[in-house]
Amino acid sequence: MNIFRLIAILILFIYSCSSAPEFEEREEQSGAGQALESWVNARFAGDQTYNANSLLTAYNSTKQHNRGLDRAKWTSLGPKNIGGRTLCLAFHPTDPNVIYAGSASGGLWKTSSSGIGYHGWVQVPINLPVYSVASILIDPKNPNTIYLGTGEVYNKSHSMPGIVDRFTRGTYGMGIIKTEDGGLTWKQILPLTQNIISGVQDLEFDPYDNHIIYAATTEGLFKTTNQGAHWSLIHNVPMAVDVDVNPVNPEIIYVTHGSYDDNNISGIFRSNNSGNSFIKLQNGLPNSYSGKAKLAISKSNPDILFASVANAESSLGLFMSVDAGNSWDKMSSSDVANVQGWYSHDIAIHPTNPNFLSYVGQNAYISDARGSNFINVSSWDAGDMGRVPVGGSEGINIYIHADIHATYFHPSRNNEIYFATDGGIFMSPDLGANFEGRNGGYQTSQFYANFSASKSDSKFAIGGMQDNGTAIYDGQDGWIKVIGGDGMSTAINTSNENIIYGTYQYFGLSRSLDKGKTFEMLRPLNNAFVSEAKSFNTPFEVVAALPNTIYAGAQKVYINENNGNPANWRALHSTPLESHSTILALGVSSLDPSLMLASTVSPDDMAPPKLFRSTNGGSSWTQVPGLPAKAAMDISFDPQNSQTVYVVFSGFGYGTHVYKSTDAGSSWKNIDNGLPDVPTNCITINPKQNKELYLGNDLGVFLSTDGGLSWERFMQGLPEAVMAMSIHISAQADLIKVATHGNGVYESPLAISIPTKEIENQNIKNFVISPNPATSHVRATISLTSSADLHLDIIDLQGRTVQSIRRNQILPGNQSIELQLSNISPGIYTVVLKGQILGMTAVFICPENLSKSKNPTF
């Protein structure tokens, strides 16, 4: 017989007497810098330290907690035609079609077709909270052994150890991790656990000894001589960026160092004795720089080196050495990096022709004369809008997405050049004459907060993505690109879904009146609003009570009562909520728009994050006391009761992420109740069942069915660790969508609210555990409408099965199965019922003081 996979859950929440365990022209300012500044500022404002171990601890705890109660059935919605930010590539040493890609916050990906096709890429599970993969190293002698350098970092502060520099922090990493079985299992071999977001930017083998590896990290240059079992810091200069080993003489090692806006630690260094000592190379090179430097060594003539050197906001040039780095000549002054010299530029040399170069920054350049002249062969603005085909052309044949982090010549097909960009993976099959995207299935888009989904049409949604504009979902894997720039907040008119809104950074507002077929820009005519400081992802809201009204937050809250028409913006109050801060999140009650909440955050730490409240439609505001000094990321008013409102906070600090008010924000109660200690990004209420809450944090999605008294995982089908940024419900279809920062968008049916005393089903009518709390035994009473083979497990909070019972051919009618508890320690346990007809769970308490326990019935 087939086993049904339908899972119903019965949870009996009882307070135990025992203690439960705790658990065009590119913009003049760098858009990537603004994005990373915003990402970090939200997570660390008011609490500038971060311990990498806390993320791993929360991840491990989350995997164990309520492991058997995961009701989600997430499926991917894409976009599968828009690649996200990509930091690096690595090529299999024997199979030319196998390539690995490291994304900025979507983990590790692999292709077996050189990225060609509708399903060109698949994600590689790692079983660790790895978001950004900055470097990949495949053992040439054993390709099943792969090393990953994780964490995206562009600056390290010196003045105060542990302080996060806002402008250039990237996404989380876990040091260096390793697999020896082709990616089936992974282990951490170099944890970087200091109180900052650490990164491993480059990895390199000794060309003759695969036991020797060099790692360029935020803490300096490390070396191992035993394949990562032990590491030594051999160059104690922070922010090592690029490491290269001479392919003929492995005693010669080069390393570059660079940190955003910090000339003091910049430089290119060489060791002639396998890393025992280093000298700084100058003699033609810049003495210092405020960005970073990338190196390339000719495989066919290792005395030839090229260095791309840049200040934070402009290239300093391309430099060449023909004597192994003793002296250098400036070959090009072209500003290929432009405003992102700290962020994205690279140089690569053809494997057999040292005269042929690929030089990249915002665009790609080719030289066949050792850099004495370059041809600009790509254009970042030649991409197509609309629906580009999944795995197909993304623009005309000169299109490569802007902000190229790395370029590579294919090691065995030398005419092919590959590019890792902020828009995914691109390649040229003919040394730069033509270009094509290789992003089919590469679901790594970084969505921001305030993604929007139709409440009635489950196949309609719109969201903004980091450096990939705004796109519309209409039921297909290939989404429709509609607005350029950095895609930000979106909204759908609550009474007329033909009216939709999208923005780019700092509230570049566009509106469509035909459900996204066409858009018009709506630049506000209120000069004060235009000039006022705003958050990178400026929040705005459209509420059901006033569907043609838009509320937007700058330093003040503004209102437009005419669907965003440029002439109709006005401020609701006269002075900023906080003079040194901008509004990060905005909430307006859909039942009573006079009730409003707004959170503020200061980009330069001139003021702590705060939450403000208005009860008169925004005319006046008061600060809400008694809440964490962390960034409030999302505000959600109950759609059935205007007095109930939820606020979620970013940052780290156990028990300080989710708060609930039942008096419209006058007083607050913490309801973390076992949620993991990670930044929390969003919370959404089921409009049909207002005690059913969905929460998104930097580890995934969690569910409460009792208004926040308890939480459970809601992650089945999602990547193992994913930043859930925005959650929306299509109520008429009972579907929920989550937009993630690194893995696109997913959809799941809503959790089904199950009564605690009786479960109705075509095969099963009742499943009761009694007594509860229990002493010597519990009895599972089951009412069946047809015969079944049943299997009951008792599982503890760590997910371990402590007792199992099988019963074959249970007859229809009321049946009772008794489970003895004599060998079970006091605590909270789950009874899991499985069979050919249904799977269920119920929770019971085994009290600490058994002799005084009472046995309530249900």
Side-chain angles (χ1 to χ4, degrees):
M1 297 183 180
N2 292 329
I3 303 293
F4 282 83
R5 291 298 183 187
L6 174 63
I7 305 294
I9 297 178
L10 171 64
I11 303 177
L12 310 178
F13 293 102
I14 303 221
Y15 290 99
S16 169
C17 56
S18 62
S19 296
E22 284 193 353
F23 40 103
E24 26 219 279
E25 289 274 336
R26 292 284 282 178
E27 59 209 342
E28 294 183 2
Q29 188 179 1
S30 167
Q34 297 163 20
L36 295 181
E37 178 184 22
S38 174
W39 187 90
V40 174
N41 192 39
R43 279 158 180 77
F44 301 101
D47 182 12
Q48 297 181 340
T49 60
Y50 155 76
N51 190 329
N53 279 337
S54 62
L55 185 69
L56 181 58
T57 300
Y59 171 79
N60 289 333
S61 174
T62 297
K63 287 187 66 178
Q64 295 298 329
H65 177 55
N66 281 335
R67 185 173 62 179
L69 303 181
D70 197 334
R71 290 183 258 188
K73 296 182 183 296
W74 294 103
T75 56
S76 166
L77 297 184
K80 299 184 184 299
N81 61 336
I82 303 172
R85 286 202 306 124
T86 304
L87 304 178
C88 64
L89 301 174
F91 299 83
H92 194 282
T94 58
D95 188 339
N97 293 317
V98 173
I99 306 170
Y100 291 86
S103 70
S105 62
L108 179 68
W109 291 71
K110 178 183 179 181
T111 178
S112 299
S113 63
S114 299
I116 297 172
Y118 195 97
H119 302 288
W121 295 88
V122 294
Q123 190 173 16
V124 180
I126 292 177
N127 203 34
L128 285 168
V130 171
Y131 303 82
S132 56
V133 177
S135 50
I136 307 168
L137 190 64
I138 305 173
D139 191 330
K141 298 178 181 179
N142 181 8
N144 284 327
T145 298
I146 305 171
Y147 302 83
L148 301 184
T150 68
E152 182 190 17
V153 182
Y154 299 99
N155 175 276
K156 179 179 176 64
S157 173
H158 287 284
S159 58
M160 297 179 66
I163 297 300
V164 175
D165 186 288
R166 296 285 186 253
F167 189 63
T168 50
R169 285 290 164 185
T171 47
Y172 307 118
M174 298 303 300
I176 300 175
I177 62 175
K178 175 184 180 181
T179 180
E180 296 178 305
D181 53 18
L184 296 177
T185 60
W186 298 83
K187 62 181 179 181
Q188 196 177 24
I189 61 172
L190 179 61
L192 300 175
T193 57
Q194 52 278 70
N195 292 341
I196 57 172
I197 298 179
S198 301
V200 181
Q201 309 304 324
D202 196 19
L203 295 168
E204 191 72 34
F205 274 118
D206 180 302
Y208 294 102
D209 187 346
N210 66 340
H211 292 80
I212 299 175
I213 304 170
Y214 298 91
T217 82
T218 49
E219 307 310 307
L221 182 65
F222 284 81
K223 178 181 180 179
T224 179
T225 58
N226 50 18
Q227 295 185 318
H230 300 93
W231 294 86
S232 300
L233 181 61
I234 62 171
H235 198 221
N236 189 13
V237 176
M239 289 303 298
V241 172
D242 195 4
V243 58
D244 290 275
V245 182
N246 185 299
V248 175
N249 180 0
E251 292 188 353
I252 301 176
I253 305 158
Y254 301 89
V255 61
T256 74
H257 296 262
S259 182
Y260 169 75
D261 205 23
D262 189 347
N263 293 63
N264 293 328
I265 61 173
S266 62
I268 301 174
F269 297 81
R270 184 183 69 197
S271 172
N272 295 325
N273 52 17
S274 300
N276 290 325
S277 61
F278 286 85
I279 60 171
K280 186 173 182 179
L281 301 179
Q282 292 179 309
N283 197 11
L285 289 173
N287 290 328
S288 66
Y289 47 87
S290 61
K292 68 179 180 181
K294 297 294 293 290
L295 277 179
I297 300 180
S298 171
K299 290 182 171 58
S300 56
N301 184 349
D303 285 339
I304 298 176
L305 294 90
F306 287 88
S308 173
V309 185
N311 277 329
E313 296 183 356
S314 64
S315 291
L316 288 173
L318 182 69
F319 299 83
M320 179 182 71
S321 173
V322 295
D323 55 10
N326 291 322
S327 61
W328 297 80
D329 293 312
K330 189 173 186 178
M331 305 303 294
S332 173
S333 299
S334 296
D335 186 9
V336 301
N338 198 265
V339 296
Q340 297 188 158
W342 60 275
Y343 179 66
S344 57
H345 57 97
D346 196 20
I347 180 71
I349 308 173
H350 190 281
T352 61
N353 181 2
N355 296 320
F356 198 97
L357 309 177
S358 175
Y359 186 29
V360 298
Q362 287 192 340
N363 287 313
Y365 299 79
I366 293 296
S367 173
D368 60 0
R370 288 196 183 182
S372 60
N373 59 67
F374 278 97
I375 301 172
N376 182 355
V377 291
S378 79
S379 178
W380 63 266
D381 59 355
D384 291 337
M385 296 296 285
R387 194 196 317 274
V388 299
V390 177
S393 171
E394 299 181 38
I396 62 177
N397 66 345
I398 61 170
Y399 174 61
I400 302 176
H401 195 282
D403 306 338
I404 306 171
H405 291 267
T407 180
Y408 309 84
F409 287 90
H410 193 290
S412 60
R413 298 195 293 242
N414 295 163
N415 284 343
E416 295 182 1
I417 312 174
Y418 285 77
F419 307 88
T421 82
D422 272 6
I425 298 134
F426 291 78
M427 65 86 64
S428 170
D430 46 20
L431 293 176
N434 298 278
F435 299 91
E436 55 192 64
R438 291 286 173 90
N439 290 306
Y442 186 58
Q443 189 171 317
T444 52
S445 297
Q446 295 176 306
F447 280 87
Y448 283 108
N450 299 320
F451 175 87
S452 300
S454 166
K455 298 184 185 307
S456 59
D457 182 357
S458 65
K459 296 189 182 302
F460 182 68
I462 180 172
M465 302 163 286
Q466 160 63 29
D467 210 32
N468 281 277
T470 300
I472 289 175
Y473 168 70
D474 66 348
Q476 298 189 40
D477 289 338
W479 290 35
I480 304 166
K481 299 180 182 179
V482 292
I483 304 171
D486 283 289
M488 296 290 156
S489 294
T490 62
I492 300 174
N493 186 290
T494 55
S495 65
N496 180 358
E497 293 192 350
N498 287 314
I499 303 174
I500 60 177
Y501 305 92
T503 56
Y504 58 84
Q505 58 268 43
Y506 302 111
F507 204 60
L509 179 66
S510 292
R511 180 185 67 190
S512 173
L513 300 177
D514 52 15
K515 209 171 184 177
K517 293 183 177 64
T518 60
F519 277 85
E520 58 179 328
M521 290 193 65
L522 301 177
R523 182 176 176 83
L525 298 179
N526 183 319
N527 291 330
F529 184 27
V530 171
S531 61
E532 196 167 294
K534 303 175 184 67
S535 292
F536 183 63
N537 186 16
T538 305
F540 70 101
E541 295 290 330
V542 177
V543 298
L546 301 169
N548 297 320
T549 297
I550 302 174
Y551 298 90
Q555 288 188 290
K556 299 186 287 290
V557 178
Y558 287 80
I559 189 171
N560 187 304
E561 297 170 291
N562 194 12
N563 284 319
N565 282 351
N568 298 111
W569 287 99
R570 60 183 175 85
L572 291 175
H573 48 107
S574 59
T575 60
L577 296 183
E578 177 68 45
S579 59
H580 296 287
S581 300
T582 58
I583 295 172
L584 182 66
L586 183 63
V588 183
S589 170
S590 60
L591 298 176
D592 181 2
S594 67
L595 301 176
M596 308 173 73
L597 290 169
S599 70
T600 62
V601 67
S602 172
D604 51 11
D605 279 341
M606 294 292 289
K610 295 177 182 176
L611 184 70
F612 293 86
R613 173 175 176 252
S614 175
T615 59
N616 55 14
S619 297
S620 61
W621 295 79
T622 57
Q623 183 184 345
V624 178
L627 291 173
K630 300 177 186 294
M633 299 296 291
D634 193 23
I635 301 161
S636 186
F637 279 90
D638 190 322
Q640 297 181 22
N641 182 353
S642 62
Q643 296 297 299
T644 299
V645 59
Y646 299 86
V647 177
V648 297
F649 291 85
S650 195
F652 292 85
Y654 185 76
T656 58
H657 299 99
V658 192
Y659 285 78
K660 178 180 181 178
S661 173
T662 56
D663 53 16
S666 295
S667 61
W668 295 85
K669 179 182 179 181
N670 172 259
I671 58 168
D672 276 47
N673 295 331
L675 283 167
D677 176 21
V678 295
T680 302
N681 306 309
C682 55
I683 188 167
T684 298
I685 306 164
N686 183 350
K688 294 181 179 180
Q689 172 52 266
N690 64 347
K691 289 189 176 182
E692 191 169 284
L693 312 176
Y694 296 87
L695 175 143
N697 61 29
D698 277 6
L699 284 178
V701 181
F702 294 80
L703 163 71
S704 175
T705 59
D706 53 16
L709 292 176
S710 61
W711 298 90
E712 60 187 80
R713 282 168 56 94
F714 197 74
M715 293 181 62
Q716 183 177 319
L718 287 178
E720 56 203 343
V722 64
M723 288 186 279
M725 297 301 293
S726 191
I727 295 175
H728 279 263
I729 292 173
S730 297
Q732 292 187 17
D734 285 335
L735 293 172
I736 183 171
K737 293 179 177 67
V738 58
T740 75
H741 194 69
N743 289 114
V745 178
Y746 286 76
E747 181 179 78
S748 171
L750 291 170
I752 301 171
S753 298
I754 305 297
T756 59
K757 289 189 177 181
E758 185 174 69
I759 300 176
E760 296 283 343
N761 181 272
Q762 62 178 355
N763 299 115
I764 190 165
K765 189 175 182 180
N766 202 10
F767 175 41
V768 173
I769 294 294
S770 64
N772 193 350
T775 55
S776 61
H777 69 278
V778 291
R779 182 175 292 107
T781 303
I782 306 157
S783 180
L784 303 177
T785 60
S786 62
S787 62
D789 297 336
L790 298 179
H791 182 187
L792 284 87
D793 291 333
I794 298 180
I795 298 174
D796 66 13
L797 284 176
Q798 285 70 47
R800 298 172 297 201
T801 300
V802 297
Q803 188 176 130
S804 294
I805 290 180
R806 295 179 183 272
R807 292 289 187 269
N808 295 326
Q809 287 299 305
I810 301 294
L811 297 176
N814 293 326
Q815 306 294 337
S816 180
I817 300 176
E818 191 168 284
L819 298 93
Q820 297 300 317
L821 306 178
S822 58
N823 295 322
I824 296 180
S825 301
I828 302 174
Y829 294 86
T830 300
V831 180
V832 180
L833 169 65
K834 301 177 183 177
Q836 71 187 61
I837 55 169
L838 194 63
M840 297 184 177
T841 69
V843 175
F844 73 92
I845 310 297
C846 185
E848 183 175 359
N849 189 343
L850 300 180
S851 63
K852 295 182 179 180
S853 173
K854 295 182 180 180
N855 301 328
T857 58
F858 300 88

